[in-house]
Amino acid sequence: NRTVVATIEVLSPVNKAGGPKQAAFQSKRRAVMASPAHWIEIDLLRAGERPPEVAGKSDYYALLKRGGQPGLYAVWYCSLRDPLPIIAVPLRAPFADVPLDLQAALTDAYAEARYDDQLTYQGSPPPPLLPADVTWVKARVAAWRDRAGH
């Protein structure tokens, strides 16, 4: 019947940077969370504001707010060094949740968009990484460059 079952929102910098666009996003978030539809929020940005239910807990997260269940959240937290999780995407009853492998989806999107040809990985990402993460990232980028012949 074309009823929205779930909204999947991958956050962008404007969703987190303040101002009217963030306010519009927050209004949409509240509206969907108050509706019968499920809300899935995927934040792969370390910078910017986070909602209180996930603030300060990890580098990245995916949050599921099931429609019709006030105040209950499922959250998958992930650090920079971890592969992204497999999360649940709920459907309408009587159907079971569908797994969504975020790491596989990101890997496919990265390859399809050919980001390896566009990104240089020079400089420090905002906000600054922890010293141990800087070392880890440098090793990963060097290994990637060796494999790719960059």
Side-chain angles (χ1 to χ4, degrees):
N1 65 6
R2 301 209 175 261
T3 301
V4 174
V5 173
T7 298
I8 300 176
E9 189 78 35
V10 180
L11 300 190
S12 69
V14 298
N15 297 134
K16 299 174 69 178
K21 289 184 179 180
Q22 183 184 19
F25 166 72
Q26 290 298 332
S27 177
K28 173 185 173 181
R29 183 181 196 262
R30 284 188 299 276
V32 175
M33 284 187 168
S35 79
H38 308 295
W39 174 263
I40 299 170
E41 181 174 291
I42 301 168
D43 187 351
L44 303 178
L45 302 169
R46 293 178 313 108
E49 295 179 32
R50 288 220 167 131
E53 58 269 15
V54 294
K57 301 208 174 153
S58 65
D59 293 318
Y60 313 114
Y61 72 89
L63 176 143
L64 165 61
K65 161 61 178 70
R66 290 181 185 271
Q69 297 183 2
L72 296 176
Y73 302 97
V75 183
W76 295 264
Y77 295 104
C78 186
S79 78
L80 176 69
R81 299 183 200 193
D82 297 329
L84 296 174
I86 297 171
I87 67 170
V89 177
L91 303 176
R92 292 258 187 245
F95 301 103
D97 294 352
V98 175
L100 173 58
D101 185 335
L102 291 180
Q103 186 64 58
L106 181 67
T107 299
D108 289 349
Y110 188 92
E112 185 70 27
R114 302 189 53 86
Y115 284 119
D116 57 340
D117 292 336
Q118 301 173 38
L119 301 174
T120 63
Y121 297 99
Q122 304 284 328
S124 298
L129 296 170
L130 298 171
D133 287 338
V134 169
T135 303
W136 181 83
V137 167
K138 285 181 179 179
R140 296 284 306 221
V141 170
W144 167 76
R145 284 191 171 132
D146 287 346
R147 283 192 311 275
H150 290 278

